[in-house]
Amino acid sequence: MTLDDLRVFVAVCHAGSLSAAARELGCTQSAVSQHVRRLEREVGVGLVERQSRGVVPTRAGRVLQRAAEEGMSGLDLALRTLAEIARGDGGVVRIATGSVTVRHFMAPAVAEFRRRHPRVSLEFRTESSSRSCFAALQEPGLDLAWVTLGAPARGVEQRPVVHLPWVLAVSADDELAGRERAEAADLAGLRLIGLPEGSTSRTRLETAYTELGIPAVSSDTSVADWDTAILLAELGVGHAIVPDLPGWRAHPRPGLRFIPVPALPPLTVGWAVRRWENLSPSARSFAETVIRHNTGS
């Protein structure tokens, strides 16, 4: 079993056909078939099932595919790290983030990192949810993902950085605007501006409502990110329960009030990586710079 065998096999699983994998890899279909057959002979079971429209991995094939993807991902990262060490202080750090991440959690860290490492490029890839960030980490080339921490994800390490309490965002003329805090009972019956569909923050909020015995969250409006939710709350469109992000209180908005909701368990955000110890020196330095700016340590 060679690394080339595994790379070709993974390409076949993703492409769904031998011919498509051959075009992607720049080789013949016969060569692709030979790699797959060699693997099947070595492991003693069929790895792909031929169908009318191509091939799909068998149960055994899916097991090998997952293991091969994890192994090759780590190897690709190690090779990039070695290349960076050989070059000196240079290279690229690739980060997957949500739509508001850089603004709220990384702006000062990015500025400091660029001053300290002018030869290192930062590439940000916007994902719609933490779940898609986890999926992106399985691809070659991505170093880090900033996520809302959740259940363990196969092949991914999660490192908490910031615990965000929830706040109720309301317009300054709202009847709740003068409250020092909002209790669980105050939330019942509020029609909230919906947090991003499929996001971890929305799922956590709905779970917390259920655990507190509050009727299910209802909304007339749904948004793509937290910033839009508070903008609509400020305009009086509705109420929004959002994580208390860094920077919101540092730049006061006269038309908006943030009311703490201590009954809701905090939302934890931080880094997700394949293996922390395998990060390149530049990626580790950037991750630690972000941690320092968010924790003050």
Side-chain angles (χ1 to χ4, degrees), residues 213-278:
I214 302 172
V217 178
S218 59
S219 62
D220 296 317
T221 306
S222 185
V223 296
D225 57 63
W226 297 331
D227 280 348
T228 305
I230 68 161
L231 173 60
L232 294 180
E234 185 176 15
L235 294 173
V237 173
H239 302 85
I241 296 181
V242 290
D244 193 3
L245 298 183
W248 278 353
R249 296 177 186 274
H251 302 88
R253 304 171 72 147
L256 189 69
R257 298 289 183 271
F258 291 114
I259 306 167
V261 189
L264 299 175
L267 200 67
T268 302
V269 298
W271 287 119
V273 300
R274 287 183 293 272
R275 286 185 180 274
W276 189 265
E277 66 269 22
N278 288 349

Side-chain angles (χ1 to χ4, degrees), residues 4 7 26 45 63 66 69-70 72-73 79 95 114 140 144 158 188 209 246 271 274 279 282 287 289 295:
D4 282 344
R7 288 190 185 278
V45 293
V63 171
R66 286 194 296 268
E69 286 174 338
E70 291 177 10
M72 287 189 299
S73 176
L79 292 174
I95 308 107
R114 292 304 301 273
L144 298 152
Q158 300 181 55
Y209 260 57
W271 287 119
R274 287 183 293 272
L279 285 176
S282 294
T289 301
T295 63

